[in-house]
Amino acid sequence: MRNAYRRRTSVPPAAALILLLAGCAAPGPPPAVPAPEPVAVEPAAAATPPVSPAAPALPSTPSPARARAEIVVVADPRTPAHAAVADEIVAALSPRLYRVTRFTTADAAALSSLRTPALTVIAVGGEAVRTARAALPTQPLVFCQVPEHADALRAGGPIWGVQSLPPLTLQLKSWQRVDPSLRTIALIVSASGAALADEARRAASSLATDLLVETSASDRETLYLFRRLATSVDGLWLLPDNDALSPQVLRELLSYATSRGIGVLTFNEALLSRGALLTATAVPADVAATVQHVVERVVAGRTADLQPMTPLSAAGLAINASVASTMGLPPVAAERWVAREPD
């Protein structure tokens, strides 16, 4: 603007008109008009392009809400422990993500009538697995609370399980804390319990504990084998095995172990009153959380690397304080507690 102003004022138009009129009125030649001095003109600055107003941000398109997955939970109402686990599973499945319908093992006809193609079944207990698989043979199935899970995995169709026992390493760690003198343990299983025995061996090896494993063909042979081992062990580890154990033999095993000052770790809290030292059982909330994790993978279709059986991560421990005192073991802070991995 400054340069333009200087260009306009270098030769004023009004002054030029006055000189012209004066030259016409006065005699003689008009006086010479000095030439204007040259004015340096600075180059004009480049014009700044106008700034367009920013376009308003378009609202982001919300991702479509995931349709709720259809879930069926089947449990045997005659087994209170299974009903309690089923309650925990239903509570763990968010109603925003899942639509859950409950059935019992008596509802086989109603299960068979389901026509929903995208349906995932959760079975709690062996009888629930058989009922659900017979009624819905092709639907994805996730099961729990099935000690004899090898048979369940052969039920057909897409199927995955959650271990019914707490991690064996966690059980053994907890037992060692209760009984610091524990060094050698007897474990007697049937041929069907070979895989469980292998897992127990790995757990004992990791904790520098000697595990003497015997294979029994009957419950009476189990009792005979333990009596033979009793002179060289500090503990007896009882794992669920219908082929190697029976209610009668369990009572005799516990009575004999108590008379010899041998601590027994069992899988059922009811056996504490029979003379067991310690029990390790699954924690229903942990079972439910593990089932939820497996179901999420199944519903999302991420099953390529999903192992057939997913382990638990917690153990519910209960101790017979009277037996512990008789064995001269140090007192514990509580008669019931929960141990978790890593622990």
Side-chain angles (χ1 to χ4, degrees):
M1 295 297 293
R2 184 182 62 193
N3 296 338
Y5 178 81
R6 290 177 63 180
R7 284 197 296 271
R8 286 197 302 268
T9 57
S10 59
V11 184
L17 180 60
I18 293 172
L19 290 174
L20 179 61
L21 293 175
C24 294
V33 179
E37 296 180 359
V39 179
V41 179
E42 297 179 4
T48 302
V51 178
S52 302
L58 296 176
S60 59
T61 304
S63 57
R66 191 188 96 179
R68 290 194 298 169
E70 296 286 346
I71 304 293
V72 166
V73 178
V74 185
D76 187 348
R78 297 169 299 179
T79 307
H82 292 175
V85 170
D87 290 342
E88 292 280 355
I89 291 172
V90 172
L93 296 173
S94 169
R96 295 188 302 106
L97 302 177
Y98 305 100
R99 184 162 60 185
V100 181
T101 307
R102 293 187 67 163
F103 292 87
T104 72
T105 49
D107 297 325
L111 281 169
S112 300
S113 66
L114 295 177
R115 295 291 182 264
T116 305
L119 177 70
T120 301
V121 183
I122 300 173
V124 184
E127 186 61 30
V129 172
R130 289 185 284 273
T131 300
R133 188 43 88 211
L136 301 166
T138 61
Q139 300 303 128
L141 190 150
V142 178
F143 67 84
C144 62
Q145 301 303 95
V146 182
E148 303 291 340
H149 60 258
D151 290 338
L153 290 173
R154 291 192 289 266
I159 187 166
W160 299 268
V162 169
Q163 293 282 4
S164 61
L165 292 175
L168 299 191
T169 302
L170 187 59
Q171 292 189 41
L172 193 49
K173 282 182 181 178
S174 301
W175 192 2
Q176 289 176 331
R177 288 173 183 171
V178 168
D179 183 359
S181 65
L182 187 66
R183 294 292 179 270
T184 307
I185 299 170
L187 174 64
I188 304 171
V189 296
S190 67
S192 63
L196 201 56
D198 288 341
E199 184 181 347
R201 284 190 183 95
R202 290 190 292 271
S205 176
S206 69
L207 298 173
T209 301
D210 292 329
L211 187 66
L212 306 182
V213 180
E214 293 283 352
T215 301
S216 170
S218 69
D219 59 341
R220 300 310 301 179
E221 186 178 7
T222 299
L223 181 59
Y224 165 77
L225 290 171
F226 175 60
R227 285 176 172 168
R228 194 183 71 185
L229 293 171
T231 57
S232 55
V233 299
D234 309 308
L236 172 63
W237 197 353
L238 293 178
L239 296 173
D241 191 324
N242 291 333
D243 295 329
L245 297 173
S246 66
Q248 176 62 33
V249 164
L250 275 172
R251 288 192 291 270
E252 292 186 47
L253 283 171
L254 291 169
S255 175
Y256 190 76
T258 301
S259 68
R260 306 282 299 191
I262 297 172
V264 182
L265 170 62
T266 77
F267 52 88
N268 189 328
E269 193 168 326
L271 296 176
L272 288 176
S273 62
R274 296 286 183 179
L277 168 66
L278 190 68
T279 62
T281 57
V283 178
D286 182 48
V287 176
T290 309
V291 168
Q292 177 195 16
H293 167 73
V294 175
V295 167
E296 286 177 353
R297 297 278 299 272
V298 172
V299 169
R302 296 183 289 108
T303 59
D305 59 345
L306 182 60
Q307 54 190 317
M309 296 298 297
T310 299
L312 298 173
S313 59
L317 284 305
I319 190 171
N320 185 326
S322 176
V323 171
S325 177
T326 300
M327 293 177 60
L329 301 181
V332 295
E335 293 187 2
R336 286 178 175 78
W337 69 100
V338 173
R340 300 185 182 277
E341 285 193 332
D343 189 356

